[in-house]
Amino acid sequence: MENTETTTASSKSNGCMWPVDADATLQTMLDSEACVPLLRQTLTGALTWHVRNRRPLRRALASPGIAPQWMAALLALGASVTVEREPEPEQIPLETLLHERIEGEIIALHVRTEGIRWGYAQVARTPVDDPIVAAVACVEMQGDQVHDARIALTGAWSRPVGLATAPGRLTGGPLDEEQIQAVAMAVEEEVSPKGDFRGSAEYRRAMARVMTRRALEQCLQDRLQDSLQEEV
């Protein structure tokens, strides 16, 4: 597809588990000092102030199409939600909302921000357009081995956002170019996009591979930079 622009960004978050009231708006979350760069990036861009200021977290979480890149970032970060239930509230993984109809009202969102390397890549017609395909990768390392890896994508499924299973093969091994390529190819096989006027299913599947690779490469670059700093 011609006339498309790709964007990548990365960081290593440092902080703690961040609880956010579900009544807060997306704009309130963005304005908080606790909001990590990954979430700030996915809450801006094509997502307008009007949408952020009118949508409480509870509604955006229940309807991923409102802010799909933000939802992808939360999924990749391993976020969870607290749901009001009897006899007491229950905390459940955010991905449960994608596959099950939950009983009870969401009362809080919990986002982990400690020790996670992340990468974000997207392809869009212009910088202000909604991404055609976007990938968010989050990797937690223990020494030289991957302890956990999660990748969420938008524009690569029939639903607004999905969490890939392919990154699980990184666990217990190194994060290197060979492994990144293998995961990216596996993601291409795993996704099931629906084509539209912005991109065919074949194009979206190919971009899922490319965006996954780029997002993971950002995580790898962060790790290599840290290693160089430790040697100095």
Side-chain angles (χ1 to χ4, degrees):
M1 178 174 291
E2 299 180 352
N3 299 324
T4 58
E5 297 196 8
T6 61
T7 303
T8 61
S10 66
S11 179
K12 181 175 70 174
S13 301
N14 291 291
C16 60
M17 186 66 74
W18 178 29
V20 191
D21 193 299
D23 287 327
T25 64
L26 293 172
Q27 185 64 44
T28 299
M29 188 177 194
L30 177 62
D31 290 340
S32 172
E33 293 182 358
C35 190
V36 296
L38 172 58
L39 294 178
R40 289 186 182 279
Q41 177 165 344
T42 56
L43 282 171
T44 52
L47 196 63
T48 66
W49 176 89
H50 179 75
V51 171
R52 294 194 303 266
N53 204 46
R54 291 176 60 89
R55 299 296 191 275
L57 300 188
R58 181 180 296 108
R59 181 175 176 186
L61 291 169
S63 302
I66 291 176
Q69 285 71 49
W70 171 75
M71 188 72 166
L74 293 174
L75 288 167
L77 286 167
S80 61
V81 294
T82 298
V83 179
E84 188 68 76
R85 288 181 176 169
E86 295 295 338
E88 60 184 16
E90 180 182 358
Q91 190 168 330
I92 62 175
L94 180 60
E95 56 259 38
T96 302
L97 300 183
L98 299 180
H99 308 292
E100 301 178 18
R101 182 179 179 84
I102 64 169
E103 296 182 3
E105 186 176 66
I106 299 172
I107 58 177
L109 170 68
H110 307 272
V111 186
R112 184 187 170 197
T113 61
E114 181 178 1
I116 298 177
R117 301 173 190 275
W118 61 266
Y120 176 84
Q122 69 173 44
V123 58
R125 288 182 178 273
T126 73
V128 297
D129 285 339
D130 288 330
I132 301 170
V133 175
V136 184
C138 289
V139 178
E140 180 185 358
M141 303 293 296
Q142 284 189 350
D144 294 331
Q145 294 187 330
V146 175
H147 177 67
D148 188 32
R150 297 165 68 90
I151 298 175
L153 300 101
T154 67
W157 320 88
S158 57
R159 55 189 183 277
V161 59
L163 191 65
T165 61
R169 66 178 60 193
L170 290 172
T171 303
L175 182 64
D176 56 28
E177 288 290 350
E178 182 179 352
Q179 293 300 317
I180 287 173
Q181 291 286 359
V183 169
M185 293 177 65
V187 166
E188 182 178 16
E189 294 297 319
E190 179 182 350
V191 296
S192 55
K194 187 176 181 179
D196 61 14
F197 70 96
R198 296 193 304 156
S200 66
E202 290 76 14
Y203 173 79
R204 289 174 180 272
R205 189 174 294 109
M207 287 300 99
R209 170 178 50 80
V210 174
M211 296 304 113
T212 293
R213 175 177 56 78
R214 291 181 180 178
L216 282 172
E217 285 175 345
Q218 294 298 319
C219 298
L220 175 59
Q221 287 302 314
D222 277 349
R223 173 159 180 75
L224 294 177
Q225 289 174 9
D226 282 356
S227 297
L228 289 175
Q229 290 175 1
E230 291 172 359
E231 294 175 0
V232 175

